Structures are given as C-alpha cells and as structure tokens.
Amino acid sequence: MRKIFALGLVVVSMAGAGVLSGCLSKRSSGPNAAASATPTPTPTPTETKTGRIAFQNMYIQAHAWAPDAQGFVEQSQPTKEITGIDGKSAVWSARFGSRARGLAKAFTWSGTDSLDAPPRGISPSSEDGFSPNNLSTQIFDVGFLRSDTDQAFKVAQDHGGKALLEKEPTMPVSYRLEWSSRDNTAVWHVIYGKYKLSVAVDATTGQYLRLDR
C-alpha cells in the first residue's frame, strides 16, 4: 500500500513538472520574447560632404524649382560630431536666386541624425524676394566653382589656421561661399571659431587671396 502511494506521488510530481515546463515554454515564446529577440537597428553612419559637392546636389534641386536658378551664397554648419576639419561638413545650406521669377529659395543638405542638425536629406525653405542688383545677393555661374573646401582648408591652415587648431583641436571651422566683386570671382571664406581667423581663398583657382578683416 505504501509503495502504491509513493508511486502515485512520483507520477503527480512528474505531471506537475510537465505542466510547469509547458507554462515556461509558452511564456518564453510569447510576444515579449519576440520583442526582446528583435535586434536593435544599427544607427545610420553620418555622411559628410565638401562644399562644392553639397552645392552641386542642392543646385539640382534649385533647378527643379526654377530653371534659371543660380546660387549666391553657401554656408556650412559645424555640429558637435563634425566640426568642419578637412573641408567637410555634415550640414550645408545654400541660397539660390531666379531672375525670371524675382524670387530666392534656400536649400539645406544634412547627412546626420545629430540633435543639433536638420533632418537628413535636402530640405527646401519658403520663397522670398530676390534682387540680383543687391550686393549681398549677387549670383554667380556654377562654372566659377572649380576648387573645393578641402583645398581651401589646406590653404587656410598654412595662413594661421594650423596654429589655432593645435591650441584648440575642437574649434569649429565653417565655410562660406559668395561672389566677390573685389576679386571678380567666387570666394571661399574659411572661418575658425567665432571669427578668430577668416581666410579668403579663390573658389576657382584654389589660391590664397587674403586674411578677411
């Protein structure tokens, strides 16, 4: 009688273990388990461009807006991640004017998901007034843009920039492109920090012009 009772306890114990195992199996294969097994998306790497390449990308978009559109200014935006070293930036903005429409439109290219930058891709702004006779909005043909910001950076480094970055390696370096009536060409301005140094470089030949004052 005792043997039969003991055998019954063993059978009940084994059955309970089976039920518990089945419950655990169901829990581990439930929705929460599937969610935990889903891999975390890999962040998209930050993309950088030189000023000339970024300008050409936005120029295409500008021509879709107005076939006669020509640029009159381009500016880089340093971020905490990409400070502008070597002539590259993760954010560029350019403004284009249309004589036929008498309007201007800005475009921004971004290659980063950084919180201190615009969304990725090319984003247009709203239109505003444009006068080609205004000194601050003098358009120029894209053919003048033959030398890029990587070359302009090297030139600026040889004219005071290197010494500044040796003292402060994280100092932001920004780039501004515009037409210069004085030089009768498009000019890159390589700007260190908040105008601690600004070097003008010919955007056609890549040659040093002067220190901006």
Side-chain angles (χ1 to χ4, degrees), residues 63-87:
H63 266 236
W65 162 68
D68 70 326
Q70 290 182 306
F72 57 85
V73 67
E74 183 186 31
Q75 179 80 44
S76 71
Q77 176 186 320
T79 64
K80 291 181 179 179
E81 180 188 11
I82 306 296
T83 59
I85 302 299
D86 296 331

Side-chain angles (χ1 to χ4, degrees), residues 47-60 71-77 82 84-96 107-110 122 140 142 144-153 173-178 186-190 203-204:
E47 182 183 2
T48 60
K49 291 184 185 294
T50 55
R52 182 171 179 263
I53 299 301
F55 185 90
Q56 290 173 336
N57 289 170
M58 291 182 282
Y59 181 77
I60 294 171
F72 57 85
V73 67
E74 183 186 31
Q75 179 80 44
S76 71
Q77 176 186 320
I82 306 296
I85 302 299
D86 296 331
K88 296 182 179 180
S89 179
V91 181
W92 291 93
S93 296
R95 292 179 61 79
F96 298 84
F107 294 83
T108 298
W109 173 84
S110 174
I122 297 179
F140 57 86
V142 70
F144 282 94
L145 192 54
R146 299 176 191 170
S147 184
D148 213 337
T149 45
D150 50 355
Q151 173 63 28
F153 175 76
V173 181
S174 59
Y175 305 86
R176 183 177 177 85
L177 173 69
E178 58 190 356
V187 173
W188 289 115
H189 300 275
V190 185
T204 301

